[in-house]
Amino acid sequence: MELRKPGAPRIDAGGDGAHPEVAHLPGALGFNFNRDLAVVYGTDATGWEVESAWLLYQTLESATGRPTKIFQLDQLPPDLRTGGNLVLVGTPKTHRLVEEARQVVEPKDAAWVAALGGGSGGGATGSRLIVVGDDEAAVNRAAIDLVLRYWKHAKDSGMRRVPLTDKPIESGADPKLLP
């Protein structure tokens, strides 16, 4: 059995976040995650860019209670490309839609997050959250900073108590008994 409780994740919009060098352009931290989303990484994405996209993909479902999709850009269905709510992850060199967004948005730093389009509700053209860096390391910093702003409030961010070692865990709440 699977139970979902869809809803907008709480996002820590204040402070410097985990990576203070990541710029969040106006509206980026107010992006509406409470709807169908697809994470898209570039056709020429490096391994680290793909990992950054997967980090967002895997945590958004837990944070929103909604299924999230992930695509490489060349496999993105046409209806999502034109009208979907997308989280674009990558560098302008490896992701054509990120390069197009960069033409509209003035980046402030080597790593940044911006919202474009119908940020609150979507629409005929959908909306975009752009998670960008000048290189793969900057993309990773931007993705981690964003995730850590909502993950601690995610609906299943806790981990079940399962035996991760050979040492048996006795019943009770004494943390000294943990391996």
Side-chain angles (χ1 to χ4, degrees):
M1 177 191 284
E2 189 173 295
L3 179 68
R4 293 185 185 276
K5 183 181 177 189
R10 197 168 116 209
I11 297 188
D12 292 338
D16 289 334
H19 291 287
E21 68 275 18
V22 175
H24 295 87
L25 280 65
L29 295 177
F31 185 79
N32 181 7
F33 289 103
N34 190 22
R35 57 193 165 165
D36 291 339
L37 295 170
V39 176
V40 183
Y41 57 91
T43 306
D44 299 320
T46 65
W48 211 356
E49 289 174 66
V50 174
E51 289 292 328
S52 298
W54 274 81
L55 171 69
L56 287 160
Y57 160 70
Q58 290 177 327
T59 59
L60 278 172
E61 184 169 338
S62 295
T64 64
R66 296 173 167 276
T68 303
K69 298 174 183 171
I70 188 165
F71 297 97
Q72 183 171 301
L73 180 58
D74 61 348
Q75 297 171 351
L76 182 64
D79 61 322
L80 287 179
R81 184 184 296 253
T82 58
N85 301 304
L86 306 178
V87 178
L88 306 175
V89 182
T91 69
K93 292 178 183 176
T94 62
H95 196 312
R96 191 180 60 226
L97 296 180
V98 168
E99 174 58 28
E100 290 172 11
R102 192 172 185 200
Q103 303 302 319
V104 177
V105 178
E106 282 290 324
K108 292 187 175 186
D109 292 304
W112 49 280
V113 180
L116 297 174
S120 62
T125 59
S127 64
R128 311 286 185 259
L129 183 69
I130 322 295
V131 181
V132 186
D134 287 347
D135 59 27
E136 63 183 8
V139 170
N140 188 252
R141 284 192 301 276
I144 288 173
D145 186 78
L146 180 61
V147 167
L148 292 179
R149 287 177 181 271
Y150 63 72
W151 182 246
K152 62 185 162 188
H153 307 293
K155 293 165 180 61
D156 68 350
S157 63
M159 184 173 74
R160 290 185 186 92
R161 189 171 171 190
V162 295
L164 299 175
T165 68
D166 293 334
K167 180 180 176 185
I169 300 174
E170 300 297 324
S171 297
D174 186 357
K176 290 183 267 179
L177 298 176
L178 295 175

